[in-house]
Amino acid sequence: MKKIIYFLMSWTLIGLSLGFVSNTKPKYLQLDKKQTRYTVEASCGSCNFDMPGDVCQLAIKLEDKKYYVVGPNINDYGGSHSKNGFCKVVRKAQVQGKIVDDKFVASYFKLLP
């Protein structure tokens, strides 16, 4: 009988703790239908776009200009040095955001197939 009570108590605690886990998407995954969406090339700025810097960082090409991205991290979409990672390939993405101080501040960032 004690085992059953402990079992039920543990599942109740697990259920309660899951109720407090945040279920909100990161800010850069929320599409604003009123804002313009751009289809861009996305990759590592230093590895594939010949941008200055020693650290691998997500960058985009927007209207023939290159910008480092603020918001999503280069590893948010898999390992940057994996077979299809941003340091190995240039991928297409759909983005929304603003250019601030020569950086693209993403409010939406989605990789395209």
Side-chain angles (χ1 to χ4, degrees), residues 36-40 60 62 93-97 104 108-110:
T36 304
R37 282 178 273 181
Y38 300 98
T39 300
V40 298
I60 61 167
L62 175 64
Q94 194 174 68
V95 299
Q96 290 179 325
F104 184 80
Y108 177 72
F109 191 97
K110 178 184 177 186

Side-chain angles (χ1 to χ4, degrees):
M1 186 68 176
K2 284 184 181 180
K3 289 182 182 181
I4 293 172
I5 291 173
Y6 287 129
F7 177 78
L8 292 174
M9 285 177 50
S10 64
W11 278 104
T12 302
L13 291 175
I14 289 171
L16 287 174
S17 65
L18 290 176
F20 292 106
V21 174
S22 175
N23 196 16
T24 59
K25 291 181 180 179
K27 186 174 183 177
Y28 55 86
L29 292 179
Q30 297 175 351
L31 178 65
D32 181 356
K33 294 184 181 183
K34 296 176 185 175
Q35 194 178 18
T36 304
R37 282 178 273 181
Y38 300 98
T39 300
V40 298
E41 291 181 337
S43 195
C44 175
S46 58
C47 292
N48 293 319
F49 290 160
D50 297 321
M51 295 173 71
D54 298 329
V55 178
C56 294
Q57 189 175 347
L58 183 59
I60 61 167
K61 276 188 188 178
L62 175 64
E63 298 173 353
D64 294 326
K65 293 185 180 178
K66 303 169 190 171
Y67 303 97
Y68 281 115
V69 178
V70 176
N73 184 288
I74 194 166
N75 291 314
D76 286 346
Y77 299 90
S80 58
H81 291 102
S82 66
K83 181 180 174 184
N84 291 322
F86 285 122
C87 293
K88 302 285 185 183
V89 296
V90 177
R91 309 226 7 223
K92 294 283 185 188
Q94 194 174 68
V95 299
Q96 290 179 325
K98 299 180 201 175
I99 297 169
V100 178
D101 297 328
D102 273 345
K103 293 184 180 182
F104 184 80
V105 180
S107 58
Y108 177 72
F109 191 97
K110 178 184 177 186
L111 284 180
L112 299 175

